[in-house]
Amino acid sequence: MNKKRIRALLLIDLQNDFVDGGALAVPQGREVIAVANRLMKQFDFVIATLDSHPSDHKSFASQHPGVKLYETFELDGLPQTAWPEHCIQGTFGAALVDELDQSGIHFRVYKGTDRFIDSYSGFYDNGHRKSTGLTRLLRDLQVDEVFVMGLATDYCVLYSALDSVREGFQTTVITDGCRGVGIHADDIPKAWNRMSENGIALVISGQVE
Ligand code: VGL
Ligand code: ZN
């Protein structure tokens, strides 16, 4: 008999600051909450990632006089987008969106907690210097397949999915469960292409069995 494949659903940054009314609202971001609530029951494990910054995080434009919002600058040798202050630890903006069914979430993974390092992926910071422990958790749970959805397509979803395949998990992104920031016109289509080129399957939620 075939061994059952163990599947995890990664819910990326479904936090108040990334939906309407939030500091870094992703257009139509709130629409994905219903997708998350519907899908949760179909997975062995549900893991939520949370962007979680100190108030003086170096990814904030406010920390760099002369750097404009959404401009790219260099931080510790890496290109860094200058973000509005968002997901500050302990604030409403950093909390998971209320309508999300939190009873279905088994684990939470926090990222971006180090003032000097930004972290789009739920697995590693942007320079791949530190792990969040997510790979260890997935391996301990004996997860074979990782499904990814959430906010934002062109940042945290993209880098989480890329790290997931790189760590050896069969990886699928649920496209209607994602929305993007789109600072540049082609950022979102480019993100989808990069996922495909890296062996990530793209499906709509109705295709998940
Ligand atoms: C994110 C920008 C800054 C995201 C987090 O969740 O996609 N984007 N921090
Ligand atoms: Zn952030």
Side-chain angles (χ1 to χ4, degrees):
M1 221 175 82
N2 284 336
K3 189 179 159 287
K4 180 182 172 292
R5 290 181 68 74
I6 299 181
R7 304 193 309 175
L9 177 63
L10 285 192
L11 301 177
I12 306 296
D13 300 6
L14 299 180
Q15 295 162 273
N16 290 312
D17 268 343
F18 294 123
V19 299
D20 54 286
L24 181 35
V26 177
Q28 281 92 49
R30 200 179 291 272
E31 293 174 5
V32 308
I33 304 296
V35 179
N37 287 342
R38 225 176 332 107
L39 281 176
M40 280 182 192
K41 297 133 196 137
Q42 294 171 246
F43 288 85
D44 301 293
F45 299 106
V46 179
I47 302 167
T49 67
L50 291 96
D51 211 33
S52 180
H53 298 310
S55 59
D56 56 357
H57 194 259
K58 288 288 189 182
S59 74
F60 298 162
S62 56
Q63 291 287 312
H64 307 275
V67 174
K68 292 195 207 76
L69 269 184
Y70 303 110
E71 208 170 69
T72 305
F73 65 103
E74 203 179 286
L75 182 61
D76 261 346
L78 292 177
Q80 173 68 51
T81 304
W83 298 111
E85 296 182 4
H86 64 279
C87 295
I88 295 173
Q89 293 160 7
T91 65
F92 173 78
L96 291 171
V97 174
D98 263 344
E99 304 92 84
L100 183 66
D101 175 10
Q102 295 185 28
S103 70
I105 296 171
H106 301 99
F107 299 95
R108 294 170 188 232
V109 172
Y110 296 87
K111 62 187 180 65
T113 53
D114 183 319
R115 181 184 177 209
F116 297 96
I117 308 181
D118 207 8
S119 190
Y120 295 147
S121 161
F123 290 84
Y124 293 95
D125 59 86
N126 294 356
H128 267 249
R129 285 165 286 205
K130 282 192 201 167
S131 153
T132 60
L134 180 53
T135 301
R136 180 76 266 150
L137 173 64
L138 293 168
R139 297 220 172 107
D140 287 347
L141 297 171
Q142 299 189 294
V143 167
D144 303 292
E145 297 181 33
V146 172
F147 288 68
V148 184
M149 62 154 284
L151 305 171
T153 311
D154 38 352
Y155 292 94
C156 295
V157 171
L158 169 64
Y159 290 102
S160 296
L162 289 173
D163 278 343
S164 176
V165 261
R166 179 159 153 173
E167 297 288 65
F169 302 107
Q170 189 188 317
T171 304
T172 300
V173 172
I174 299 157
T175 55
D176 56 324
C178 301
R179 295 290 185 278
V181 179
I183 294 177
H184 313 98
D186 54 354
D187 283 353
I188 299 170
K190 269 194 192 155
W192 294 128
N193 286 337
R194 228 176 127 188
M195 290 186 228
S196 295
E197 287 161 8
N198 281 278
I200 296 161
L202 303 178
V203 304
I204 56 167
S205 57
Q207 292 175 287
V208 179
E209 287 165 8

